[in-house]
Amino acid sequence: MPEPRLTFWEKARIVAIEAHGVKRAAAGIEHQPDIDRRIKRIKDQARKRANGSK
């Protein structure tokens, strides 16, 4: 399944989430499944928006 097309706001949210993950990684926290879940949720919302379902 191809990646959904993201709006500017969705891209900005992903960048902010990843920056938070980098900060935590610098503190020594390597396993961060919550960061992956948050990014997946944004992409799923974009996919739903693209398909026209709510």
Side-chain angles (χ1 to χ4, degrees):
M1 180 180 292
E3 288 291 319
R5 187 167 180 120
L6 301 172
T7 64
F8 174 78
W9 181 247
E10 290 164 338
K11 290 177 186 177
R13 286 175 57 196
I14 289 174
V15 168
I17 291 167
E18 288 179 345
H20 182 71
V22 168
K23 181 179 173 184
R24 286 171 48 185
I29 302 171
E30 295 296 323
H31 185 64
Q32 301 180 29
D34 59 318
I35 299 293
D36 297 331
R37 279 193 307 268
R38 290 171 65 191
I39 292 172
K40 183 180 182 310
R41 186 177 339 139
I42 291 170
K43 290 183 179 183
D44 288 344
Q45 289 171 350
R47 192 172 291 113
K48 287 180 185 177
R49 180 182 37 79
N51 291 335
S53 58
K54 292 191 178 201

